[in-house]
Amino acid sequence: MKALLLSLLLVPALVLAQAPVIEISGANFRPLPLAAPAPVVQEGADKKAAQAFDAAFTYDLTASGIFQVLDRAGFTADAKEGMTAGSINFSRWADVGAESLVKVSLAQDGGALRGELRLFSVATGKEELKVSKDAPAGEPRQLAHALADALYRHFTREASPFLSRITYVRKAGANRDVYVADWDGMGAQALTKGGTHILPTLSPSGQVAFTSYRKNRPDIYVQTPGGEAKALVTDGQMATGIAYSPDGKRIAYALAEGESAQIYVAAADGSGAKAITDTPYGLNTSPTWSPDGKRIAFVSNRGGSPQVYVMNADGSGVKRLTFQGNYNQTPDWSPRGDLIAFTARDERNAFDLFTVNVDTGKVTRLTQDQGNNEEPTFSPNGRLIMFSSNRNGAAHLWVMTSDGNNQVPLPMEKGNWLTPDWGTAPAAK
């Protein structure tokens, strides 16, 4: 009886301990006003590394959509203020509107850059989080992502997207090359050099599959960063648009023959391929898996115009999901399961982004009157959507929250960046 009573008393405490500090969704959500002064650089740490750390850390917090990172021009750091609660004048931070204060110090320990993060409640003056992380001295941005992830997890009890990877295509002249990079587009590594390579996607194991014209027709190849490309699907006239199942064990892709294109499902190595659509004169393309791997969304013109459909992973139970507009394409299924993002062309021939609720069919517009916005891809936690937009000229990669708010560009150099795909995040260390 004592054990039962103890367990009953502990349950509310455990539930409370796991409750997020910030409920990201819902009508009452508002970004948390957060002050994040420049990191304190201890003796021995490189100032340029500190600047790179600061840029990446601040970008992570700003682009996350859950923080209102206060402009540093609105406050002046006190040189005497340290890293501990006893040295901080919290009333000064309250005066500039901060509800939370995050401080970071950087120190170099041999070949490692060590960062210590402390989070304080401005209202109570209490230290709410203290965490230290290490990274190689030449990788300050990796340290920034790791500490930003720790802060994100503290507030949301969820993994952040900051440790994940993306892949995309760079258009330069007649070439289309595939790159893989950190979530913010930085630290990019080219997988191909010259030629036409399009529609890359990241597998859960970190491989990148893409459609390549290296043999003058579209086939699907797979490549590990630093390795050689290997042919994966070379059947049919055109093999395009590969998507990995969430467990990485299966692939889906479109294969064109004659006047039709069908969705195929195969093992991840390409074996055992089987068509799961059968429309003799229709085009079925752009498959995307549901997070449980049981369903696939895709684009089909079987009804007369390209629309988003869903079906079971064996091809049964086909259901049309979009009915507005006559040109809907590039669906991406949220890892949270509830939404599918897609691109739609309106009556002005402009492309914009929308989501459709899988259960209710409710369509929500995310972009409008800002150039062409295309090719959405959800973050691994489903909170953010990355996309390509030419609102400022050449196509650039942007990120926004899943409801279309807080649209910010990735801090990449200028170029034509297309078709991003967001991979999964490694487990936090």
Side-chain angles (χ1 to χ4, degrees):
M1 179 60 74
K2 287 184 178 179
L4 176 61
L5 179 60
L6 180 60
S7 65
L8 291 174
L9 289 173
L10 285 175
V11 166
L14 289 173
V15 171
L16 183 61
Q18 296 301 316
V21 179
I22 298 177
E23 292 283 359
I24 298 176
S25 58
N28 295 325
F29 168 73
R30 67 178 181 88
L32 176 73
L34 176 74
V40 177
V41 182
Q42 305 292 345
E43 186 175 352
D46 185 88
K47 291 185 178 179
K48 287 187 177 179
Q51 291 173 351
F53 170 92
D54 191 30
F57 186 71
T58 303
Y59 181 83
D60 285 358
L61 302 185
T62 302
S64 72
I66 68 170
F67 301 115
Q68 177 195 351
V69 181
L70 300 180
D71 187 349
R72 290 176 185 169
F75 56 83
T76 303
D78 185 344
K80 296 181 180 179
E81 193 170 275
M83 290 286 295
T84 58
S87 67
I88 297 173
N89 183 348
F90 288 100
S91 63
R92 294 179 66 249
W93 295 106
D95 289 343
V96 299
E99 294 185 12
S100 289
L101 169 67
V102 61
K103 290 204 164 195
V104 175
S105 70
L106 300 175
Q108 188 151 349
D109 184 5
L113 184 65
R114 172 160 296 172
E116 180 184 277
L117 179 150
R118 293 177 186 242
L119 173 70
F120 303 94
S121 165
V122 172
T124 66
K126 291 184 177 178
E127 183 177 286
E128 297 184 333
L129 177 67
K130 178 182 176 183
V131 61
S132 296
K133 299 282 185 182
D134 291 345
E139 300 288 348
R141 297 181 61 262
Q142 295 304 317
L143 179 62
H145 294 322
L147 286 178
D149 176 72
L151 189 66
Y152 189 101
R153 287 173 183 265
H154 167 77
F155 280 110
T156 66
R157 305 294 188 253
E158 295 179 4
S160 79
F162 309 145
L163 301 176
S164 60
R165 304 275 282 170
I166 62 171
T167 183
Y168 51 79
V169 166
R170 181 179 189 181
K171 176 184 176 184
N175 296 323
R176 309 285 188 275
D177 282 308
V178 173
Y179 285 72
V180 63
D182 296 338
W183 91 279
D184 55 3
M186 303 295 283
Q189 179 181 1
L191 269 66
T192 63
K193 189 174 183 179
T196 301
H197 318 280
I198 60 174
L199 301 174
T201 185
L202 270 166
S203 77
S205 65
Q207 290 184 313
V208 180
F210 54 91
T211 300
S212 175
Y213 285 75
R214 62 184 61 204
K215 292 187 177 179
N216 298 318
R217 70 172 198 179
D219 294 317
I220 296 175
Y221 288 76
V222 63
Q223 187 170 351
T224 301
E228 296 292 328
K230 298 178 181 178
L232 185 61
V233 180
T234 58
D235 300 328
Q237 296 172 337
M238 298 176 60
T240 61
I242 184 174
Y244 282 92
S245 62
D247 62 6
K249 295 181 179 179
R250 292 172 292 169
I251 55 175
Y253 54 91
L255 201 62
E257 284 280 13
E259 298 180 5
S260 70
Q262 309 300 336
I263 302 294
Y264 280 72
V265 169
D269 63 2
S271 64
K274 179 181 179 182
I276 59 169
T277 59
D278 182 17
T279 50
Y281 300 102
L283 300 178
N284 304 281
T285 62
S286 305
T288 175
W289 295 80
S290 64
D292 61 5
K294 295 181 179 179
R295 289 186 290 173
I296 292 174
F298 63 105
V299 174
S300 179
N301 66 353
R302 64 185 67 191
S305 65
Q307 299 291 342
V308 179
Y309 290 74
V310 295
M311 61 183 168
N312 296 323
D314 63 0
S316 65
V318 176
K319 173 186 174 184
R320 181 172 168 175
L321 201 57
T322 59
F323 293 89
Q324 299 178 22
N326 59 12
Y327 198 89
N328 299 319
Q329 58 181 353
T330 67
D332 189 62
W333 205 315
S334 167
R336 309 188 77 82
D338 55 344
L339 301 175
I340 292 174
F342 63 97
T343 306
R345 186 179 66 191
D346 65 16
E347 66 281 1
R348 302 168 301 165
N349 287 326
F351 292 96
D352 273 306
L353 301 179
F354 298 77
T355 56
V356 56
N357 186 291
V358 178
D359 294 327
T360 68
K362 179 184 177 182
V363 172
T364 301
R365 185 167 199 144
L366 305 181
T367 62
Q368 189 168 17
D369 297 331
Q370 294 174 304
N372 289 310
N373 305 281
E374 305 177 70
E375 303 148 350
T377 177
F378 277 98
S379 62
N381 66 0
R383 299 296 188 184
L384 300 177
I385 297 175
M386 190 174 293
F387 59 102
S388 175
S389 177
N390 67 355
R391 64 185 66 183
N392 291 335
H396 196 87
L397 300 186
W398 289 64
V399 68
M400 62 183 170
T401 56
S402 61
D403 59 4
N405 290 318
N406 198 48
Q407 298 182 15
V408 296
L410 269 63
M412 306 163 65
E413 64 180 29
K414 292 182 178 178
N416 270 302
W417 310 102
L418 308 167
T419 59
D421 182 71
W422 213 325
T424 56
K429 296 179 180 178

